[in-house]
């Protein structure tokens, strides 16, 4: 293997411009190729073994319910235990692999994913319901995570040279970041490649082995990543692919005495359940399990009377309805001071009504939500909203053979309303009026979550106050509250939004390692 030398500085993967005909045609071609490969049986990966099971997860295209993406083998507890033992034994050799060699696997994977970018995006378009730009951004972020974390393990590996400890006469003191052990990776369906890849590669490049349990609605894209890592030569058993029931397999592995850490992204309810299980000490367990959790949000955009109102309205709509509002960073609340309230509301309504709902593979601005459970939940919240605010637009299912819902905006919503407080995770925006910017910030902070937020203003004193007082992990000024970039916007939130793990930041790999001090008397 070629050793990593003279690595260039990290730069974000550029997004594809689909207004250019050649790029649009390239994506259409990739979709056609992926469609020709749909309906395959996808195995578990336990070490070198490929295991096919009778019990399968049937992955369905949420935008075309007649289309099966694949039949994914489903692990039970016995297979999960086999995968655990494989991960435990592989850890003994993988932890001894030098950091530069572990990083090299990632650099090779990033290069290969970059070559096949449209194929990965096309599979996401079909399996998760993303349009071209959303899928491309997901794939670009996956590449970014791989590239960034590969560089990060090299930086940590050189920490004694770049940040040496205080010298003590007669001693050689060194700090080494060693891996934790076996981890359980539980990624979400809404960023089925980027977050899956980021969580997994951060763990393995740090020297850990993992059990990857993808979301049941998007297992095929996770498997495509696992197959890529196998193709670049990652040793068998470092990543073990075990789709399965959260209740049966997820709980079993979270409670397992050999599980050293759990990396989870998903809902608050599931995250708290995992936290409770992980806090219990199983028989034979000799460590406190580490939980790295990102659990969603009820994010908002505050607009005062000094703001650029057109920019604010565009950012509100983009943040609320990008990928149908199915982002933990989605701006599902807009809090607008009364002096410009009516004007901003009209602009938001007009922009929202331009969003046409349709099939993702045809690149409509708005597509389906992920599954029947989400569809029913969102429609129920819309009915609640009809009693809590003024319905401006949307409010109903949309046409199509899938889980389509019209982008929906409610105005005149009170701060304490359920649609202002509870995470809906769909194309629903609640707009609230505030008397001034101070009250607007108070309303913004009145939530159990604390992931992302935006403040629109041209008043520098107010901006400074917002920077200090708006309580969230990622706060943006005069821009949308979605679209964090690896390396530029380390991502993670406060309160019930999780453990503020700051994915894509310079301290993220520390969560997958433990620092060992060695002091040698000379």
């Amino acid at each position: 293997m070629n050793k990593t030398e003279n690595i260039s500085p990290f730069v974000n993967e550029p997004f594809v411009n689909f207004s250019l005909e050649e790029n649009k045609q390239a994506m259409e071609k990739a979709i056609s190729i992926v469609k020709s490969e749909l309906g395959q049986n996808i195995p578990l990966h336990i070490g070198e073994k490929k295991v096919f099971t009778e019990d399968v997860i049937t992955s369905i295209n949420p935008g075309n319910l007649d289309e099966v993406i694949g039949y994914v083998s489903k692990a039970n507890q016995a297979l999960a235990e086999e995968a655990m033992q494989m991960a435990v034994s592989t850890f003994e050799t993988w932890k001894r692999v030098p950091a530069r060699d572990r990083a090299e696997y990632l650099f090779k994977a990033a290069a290969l994913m970059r070559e096949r970018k449209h194929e990965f995006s096309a599979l996401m378009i079909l399996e998760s319901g993303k349009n071209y730009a959303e899928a491309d951004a997901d794939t670009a972020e996956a590449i970014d995570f791989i590239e960034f974390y590969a560089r990060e393990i090299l930086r940590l590996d050189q920490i004694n040279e770049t940040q040496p400890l205080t010298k003590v006469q007669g001693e050689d003191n060194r700090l080494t970041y060693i891996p934790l052990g076996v981890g359980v990776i539980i990624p979400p369906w809404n960023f089925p490649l980027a977050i899956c890849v980021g969580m997994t590669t951060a763990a393995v490049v740090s020297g850990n082995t993992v059990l990857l349990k993808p979301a049941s609605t998007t297992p095929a894209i996770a498997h495509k990543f696992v197959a890529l890592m196998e193709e670049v030569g990652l040793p068998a058993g470092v990543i073990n692919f075990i789709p399965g029931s959260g209740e049966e397999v997820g709980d079993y592995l979270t409670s397992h005495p050999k599980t050293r850490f759990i990396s989870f992204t998903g809902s608050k309810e599931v995250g708290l359940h995992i936290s409770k299980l992980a806090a219990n000490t199983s028989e034979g367990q000799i460590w406190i399990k580490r939980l790295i959790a990102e659990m969603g949000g009820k994010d908002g955009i505050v607009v005062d009377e000094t703001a650029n109102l057109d920019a604010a309205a565009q950012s509100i709509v983009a943040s609320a309805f990008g990928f149908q509002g199915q982002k933990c960073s989605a701006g599902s609340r807009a809090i607008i001071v009364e002096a410009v309230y009516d004007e901003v509301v009209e602009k938001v309504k007009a922009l929202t009504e331009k969003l046409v709902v349709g099939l993702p593979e045809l690149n409509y601005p708005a597509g389906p939500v992920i599954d029947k459970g989400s569809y029913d939940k969102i429609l129920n919240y819309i009915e609640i909203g009809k009693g809590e605010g003024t319905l401006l637009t949307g409010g109903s299912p949309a046409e199509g053979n899938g889980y389509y819902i019209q982008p929906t905006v409610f105005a005149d919503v009170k701060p304490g309303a359920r649609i202002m407080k509870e995470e809906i995770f769909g194309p629903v925006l609640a707009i609230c009026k505030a008397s001034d910017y101070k009250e607007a910030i108070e309303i913004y902070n009145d939530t159990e979550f604390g992931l992302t937020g935006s403040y629109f203003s041209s008043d520098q004193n107010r901006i400074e106050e917002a920077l200090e007082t708006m309580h969230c992990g990622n706060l943006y000024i005069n821009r949308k509250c979605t679209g964090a970039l690896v390396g530029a916007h380390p991502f993670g939130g406060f309160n019930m939004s999780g453990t503020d793990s700051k994915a894509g930041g310079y301290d993220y790999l520390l969560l997958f390692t433990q620092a060992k001090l060695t002091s040698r008397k000379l």
Side-chain angles (χ1 to χ4, degrees), residues 186-226:
I186 308 174
W189 52 261
N190 64 329
F191 286 87
L193 185 63
I195 296 181
C196 174
V197 167
M199 294 164 72
T200 305
T201 57
V204 301
V205 82
S206 301
N208 306 289
T209 56
V210 301
L211 305 161
L212 171 57
K213 195 194 87 63
S216 294
T217 43
T218 53
I221 188 64
H223 180 263
K224 191 173 180 69
F225 157 64
V226 171

Side-chain angles (χ1 to χ4, degrees), residues 14-19 23-24 27 31 117-118 121-122 124-125 129-141 191 322-323 327 360-365 480 483:
F15 299 140
V16 174
N17 180 0
F18 291 106
S19 67
N23 292 335
K24 179 172 173 285
M27 181 62 82
I31 292 171
K117 181 189 288 190
H118 288 333
S121 297
M124 267 189 289
I125 287 167
K130 298 200 170 197
N131 64 20
Y132 292 11
E134 292 285 351
D136 176 69
D138 200 314
T139 303
E141 186 176 22
F191 286 87
F323 188 39
K327 301 179 183 182
E361 66 191 75
L362 300 180
N363 201 27
Y364 279 87
K480 64 179 183 174

Side-chain angles (χ1 to χ4, degrees), residues 22 32 38 48 73 184 192 422 425 435-436 446 459 469 516:
E22 60 266 32
S32 179
L38 295 182
E48 293 182 344
S73 293
V184 181
E422 299 173 15
F425 225 67
S435 59
D436 57 24
D446 186 19
D459 186 310
T469 59
K516 181 176 182 178

